[in-house]
Amino acid sequence: EAGVAQSPRYKIIEKRQSVAFWCNPISGHATLYWYQQILGQGPKLLIQFQNNGVVDDSQLPKDRFSAERLKGVDSTLKIQPAKLEDSAVYLCASSLDHNTGELFFGEGSRLTVL
Amino acid sequence: QKEVEQNSGPLSVPEGAIASLNCTYSDRGSQSFFWYRQYSGKSPELIMFIYSNGDKEDGRFTAQLNKASQYVSLLIRDSQPSDSATYLCAGESSNYKLTFGKGTLLTVNP
């Protein structure tokens, strides 16, 4: 079974530039999550999708971050404009449904903002 | 603010010893708790979950939950160098939202 796919793995941009990350969840997983993990900290939920609807985006900085999940499968997370404090690993995860804590994480996209 | 706190570490144990990782949580409505292992530069992977008071054993791993004390722990028996990683504790609230702690870095010395 293929795991959660993410791209790009690494991205370096200057502040005020934009960046987009892509995620393809495990086939059949209804729930998709984007987490931000800053070095030395635990993952912080940015947004949770159930199929193609948003369940929780309470911690998403909506003035600069946006996300969508097309047709309830792939998802993109965009940051525009980026700030220095956005430097982090962006983890995509999926689960069979929303009522389980068993998440399957992708390898992550490491963002460095200079 | 619902929080999950972990002993900051780093924790260093000799090979073959028992490693004890601890976690406390503030949300009394939390139903279940999950332990994820994260190797350096890798993504988290689930190793155990627990939702009932008491102990749950899986091989060399034992998870313990005490809801009255709002305390969760993970014991690793016969620790191996391959167990060296960051261990993340996560609590699941009544609306199924996971909150992660900062993690505890465990090093098992050969």
Side-chain angles (χ1 to χ4, degrees), chain B residues 5-6 8 14 18 29 32 39 41 50 54 58 62-64 70 73 85 96 98-99 104:
Chain B
E5 301 283 345
Q6 295 186 243
S8 57
I18 296 175
S32 304
Y39 291 114
I50 186 168
D58 184 1
T62 299
Q64 300 174 317
Q70 296 178 245
S73 67
Y96 306 110
L98 273 189
T99 299
T104 300

Side-chain angles (χ1 to χ4, degrees), chain B residues 86-97:
Chain B
T86 295
Y87 289 79
L88 298 163
C89 173
E92 184 181 60
S93 65
S94 54
N95 62 353
Y96 306 110
K97 180 177 175 179

